[in-house]
Structure formats: C-alpha cells, structure tokens
Amino acid sequence: DAKTTQPPSMDCAEGRAANLPCNHSTISGNEYVYWYRQIHSQGPQYIIHGLKNNETNEMASLIITEDRKSSTLILPHATLRDTAVYYCIPRGQGAQKLVFGQGTRLTINP
Amino acid sequence: GAVVSQHPSWVICKSGTSVKIECRSLDFQATTMFWYRQFPKQSLMLMATSNEGSKATYEQGVEKDKFLINHASLTLSTLTVTSAHPEDSSFYICSARHREPGELFFGEGSRLTVL
C-alpha cells in the first residue's frame, strides 16, 4: 500500500475554501486516491475519489497533480460541520480494504 | 448512499464478559465486511476482513480467538469480543463493501467500555 503524508492539523475560517494537501509519492499506477472524513465519534464518511483527472461532486473537489504524487481536497465553502479528521487513502481498483493513515484534523472556526 | 448500521452504538460491560456487535448493510448486499478498532486520538486500525460464508482473515497482531467474527449472510457480520478486559475498551467500526461498484461504506461505530 502506498504511504501518505498529510499535515496533522489545519484551521480554516467559516465560509472560506479549505484546501487539504496529501502527498502520496509512492502511489501505483492503478491506485485511486480516496478521501474520507471522520467527524468526532462517528464512522468515516466517503467524500470523493479520483485516478488522475480532477473530480468534483456536491461535497468537494479533488485536484490530482499530473505526476499523481500529490493531491488536494478542496471544500469550497467550509462550514462548522466540516470540522473533522480528513483521510487521504490510495486504493487499487477492486482492492478490498482501506488502510487509514493519521489524517488531517481540520478545524473550521467561526 | 448505501447505509451500514451497527448495533449497539454503545455498550458497557463487566470485565470477563463477552460482547457482540452487529454490522448490517441495510440496502445492499456485502460479500465483504471489515472491522476496525479506534483508540482515542488515534486513527482507525484494521482488525479483520470477513467474507460471507468463510472464515475471517485477521491482521497481524489481532487475536482471532478473542475477536470472533461471523459473516453469516450477505447483510450481516458480527464481532464478538470474548472475555473482555478494560484494555479492549475502544470504538469499533465496521465497513461493508458494495458489490457494485465495490465502494466501501462505514457504520456509525460502537463504543465499548469494559469496567
């Protein structure tokens, strides 16, 4: 499994865009980049995933660098409810399990 | 999105007793389910992978005789913590793999406190 590096914590003002970086320099060619978040005392919640193209859904946007060694999750208009730990996880297509790293604790401040 | 439900959401038990936690996929069939454990301020740690109708595969360092996993149907997996001790107190989370397109969905978690 590819290893990831994420900043342990970040702060963002409510209403601003939150940009969460992830380094995955050892990612394999067939591995997608998945993002999950975990709000305190809840199970992880799927956010978005991508292979090499940028992706957008109703929750967030995912920007993947051309060399695929890093990516950025963007929450365009952060709210207080976006306060959570965000995990970036490389995972091969058809791969069974998700292996969690330490993630980034994002705090949205009023 | 697909829904995975865990029960109970929290449980308190005495040391030495056994506790069963259920994980159900409510609106899809899950051939594979995963069990994680999470201690305070730590990340999720994968304990085992359970496949319907077969024995679970445990991660290194996880005692299979202590954490009994049964995946009897395509919508239900159970984790039994046998002879629980205070050090087993943790947040236990299950995940179910949707057949198509193979995405993983997580339960709400079950908090176990062993006195």
Side-chain angles (χ1 to χ4, degrees):
Chain A
D1 297 324
K3 290 188 176 180
T4 60
T5 302
Q6 296 180 254
S9 64
M10 292 182 64
D11 284 83
C12 179
E14 187 179 18
R16 294 294 188 105
N19 297 281
L20 294 94
C22 178
N23 182 292
H24 35 77
S25 58
T26 61
I27 194 169
S28 300
N30 65 346
E31 286 185 311
Y32 288 72
V33 180
Y34 279 77
W35 283 82
Y36 280 78
R37 72 179 182 184
Q38 186 181 26
I39 295 169
H40 183 62
S41 293
Q42 296 183 23
Q45 176 190 22
Y46 166 80
I47 301 173
I48 198 167
H49 75 282
L51 183 62
K52 53 183 177 181
N53 297 322
N54 298 337
E55 302 288 344
T56 296
N57 63 19
E58 65 278 4
M59 289 184 69
S61 294
L62 175 61
I63 308 298
I64 303 173
T65 58
E66 195 168 338
D67 63 7
R68 301 205 334 116
K69 293 185 177 181
S70 65
S71 61
T72 301
L73 179 75
I74 301 172
L75 307 178
H77 305 287
T79 70
L80 298 179
R81 286 180 291 184
D82 292 322
T83 292
V85 179
Y86 287 76
Y87 296 96
C88 157
I89 308 173
R91 176 176 177 242
Q93 187 177 21
Q96 295 276 33
K97 59 189 179 183
L98 282 173
V99 178
F100 288 78
Q102 295 305 308
T104 296
R105 183 173 299 277
L106 174 67
T107 302
I108 306 301
N109 300 305
Chain B
V3 178
V4 177
S5 178
Q6 282 185 241
H7 178 81
S9 54
W10 59 270
V11 57
I12 301 172
C13 70
K14 293 182 179 180
S15 187
T17 61
S18 294
V19 175
K20 181 186 285 187
I21 300 170
E22 292 186 347
C23 176
R24 294 182 184 272
S25 55
L26 298 186
D27 51 0
F28 67 100
Q29 293 183 332
T31 52
T32 305
M33 291 186 175
F34 305 89
W35 287 95
Y36 292 83
R37 180 168 56 180
Q38 185 176 34
F39 293 109
K41 300 195 177 186
Q42 294 187 22
S43 185
L44 286 79
M45 185 192 78
L46 180 64
M47 299 175 66
T49 301
S50 98
N51 293 297
E52 186 262 339
S54 63
K55 290 184 178 180
T57 302
Y58 291 81
E59 296 297 307
Q60 192 173 10
V62 178
E63 300 175 59
K64 62 181 181 181
D65 294 331
K66 180 164 185 65
F67 299 100
L68 301 179
I69 292 172
N70 184 278
H71 193 157
S73 76
L74 287 172
T75 59
L76 173 64
S77 176
T78 60
L79 167 68
T80 301
V81 183
T82 62
S83 186
H85 291 285
E87 57 265 31
D88 297 323
S89 298
S90 189
F91 193 49
Y92 291 87
I93 305 166
C94 76
S95 172
R97 182 172 184 262
H98 197 299
R99 269 187 177 178
E100 293 293 337
E103 301 303 340
L104 298 181
F105 299 92
F106 287 82
E108 318 95 318
S110 299
R111 186 164 301 283
L112 170 64
T113 301
V114 184
L115 303 177

